[in-house]
Amino acid sequence: RINTILYDGAKLPFENNFFDRIIISHVLEHITDPENLLFEMMNKLKNDGLLSISLPTDPGLLWRLGKLFTKYIIINKTYKISPKEYDYMIATEHINSIFNLISLIRYNFKNQIKENFLPFKIKLVDLNLFYIVHITKSGN
């Protein structure tokens, strides 16, 4: 059973201190104001609640290599779009770089985060495909 709630994308339609955990995957790279969304989600968490975020490491080196493979091998065969159309799609959808997003997260939540990089677990954006971070809301 799934309930769907339509909202404006900026203000989450829930009371503050409502959730034990919020999980978002591949969201922040697409929105115009990721910092405010992060604060909004943290407000909706209960004390000691957890915000878990997964992001692609765009434009890291390994991510760009994967994009090249996808652009020239996968996309044309699967979706019948050109490499230029694929580049356009990524350019218009991925409006925030991983470097900027990590900076926002580290600056605002420096003592509340646990970071992981995948698949190689080396803390370098260029050598991984995904950045995973868990932010714990400090109890008062």
Side-chain angles (χ1 to χ4, degrees):
R1 184 169 168 228
I2 298 173
N3 293 328
T4 303
I5 299 172
L6 184 62
Y7 72 102
D8 67 5
K11 294 289 182 188
L12 297 173
F14 298 95
E15 301 279 328
N16 285 348
N17 305 306
F18 186 82
F19 294 104
D20 294 312
R21 187 173 192 183
I22 297 173
I23 301 170
I24 62 170
S25 181
H26 298 254
V27 172
L28 297 179
E29 71 272 18
H30 298 283
I31 62 173
T32 56
D33 195 354
E35 191 170 30
N36 278 336
L37 180 60
L38 286 168
F39 291 134
E40 177 71 7
M41 288 184 290
M42 293 303 287
N43 286 335
K44 303 306 177 190
L45 285 174
K46 295 176 183 175
N47 287 337
D48 299 318
L50 191 64
L51 172 57
S52 297
I53 303 168
S54 172
L55 296 167
T57 56
D58 176 16
L61 177 63
L62 192 58
W63 190 90
R64 288 193 324 266
L65 289 172
K67 181 183 164 204
L68 281 174
F69 175 77
T70 300
K71 180 166 77 170
Y72 291 110
I73 306 298
I74 305 293
I75 291 299
N76 189 31
K77 292 179 182 176
T78 305
Y79 299 106
K80 307 293 187 219
I81 63 173
S82 72
K84 284 185 181 181
E85 289 170 310
Y86 177 70
D87 283 341
Y88 176 81
M89 179 185 70
I90 295 296
T92 58
E93 289 185 4
H94 285 208
I95 59 174
N96 298 306
S97 79
I98 189 63
F99 300 106
N100 291 344
L101 293 170
I102 289 174
S103 293
L104 288 174
I105 291 165
R106 288 177 177 168
Y107 179 80
N108 288 300
F109 307 104
K110 56 187 156 272
N111 297 321
Q112 301 164 255
I113 63 174
K114 290 187 181 173
E115 298 175 306
N116 295 297
F117 290 82
L118 298 172
F120 298 115
K121 300 183 182 189
I122 300 166
K123 285 193 164 194
L124 291 173
V125 168
D126 286 321
L127 299 179
N128 286 283
L129 294 172
F130 304 103
Y131 170 74
I132 313 296
V133 64
H134 304 285
I135 307 170
T136 303
K137 182 176 180 179
S138 300
N140 293 336

